[in-house]
Amino acid sequence: MTKPAAPVFELQTYDYSANAWETVGTYDTGTDVRAEANAYCGYQVHSAAGPTRLLKDGATDLGYDNPNDYYTADNWA
């Protein structure tokens, strides 16, 4: 049985002027034991400033794929 690959997290924020998601950090749990905690902490910090998402192995783990959903979330009501 092979050992599964360690997940890689990618923190992205949305740049409206470029109309694109931009990577602000990559966290490889295979090379850093604190990577997962750092990724979630980074998400909390960046999400307070605008649309942010945290990808885990390329799939959205936290946040929004549509940046406009950030402004319609319950915490803005």
Side-chain angles (χ1 to χ4, degrees), residues 47-66:
S47 65
T52 305
R53 67 182 179 183
L54 183 64
L55 305 177
K56 180 178 180 181
D57 289 335
T60 303
D61 189 46
L62 287 175
Y64 308 97
D65 286 323
N66 179 348

Side-chain angles (χ1 to χ4, degrees), residues 3-66:
K3 182 179 177 183
V8 174
F9 292 87
E10 186 175 352
L11 181 63
Q12 297 181 334
T13 58
Y14 196 76
D15 180 353
Y16 280 99
S17 64
N19 197 29
W21 289 99
E22 294 186 350
T23 299
V24 293
T26 302
Y27 308 88
D28 186 349
T29 60
T31 60
D32 182 358
V33 295
R34 297 175 301 208
E36 185 170 358
N38 290 342
Y40 286 107
C41 181
Y43 173 81
Q44 289 179 338
V45 170
H46 285 275
S47 65
T52 305
R53 67 182 179 183
L54 183 64
L55 305 177
K56 180 178 180 181
D57 289 335
T60 303
D61 189 46
L62 287 175
Y64 308 97
D65 286 323
N66 179 348

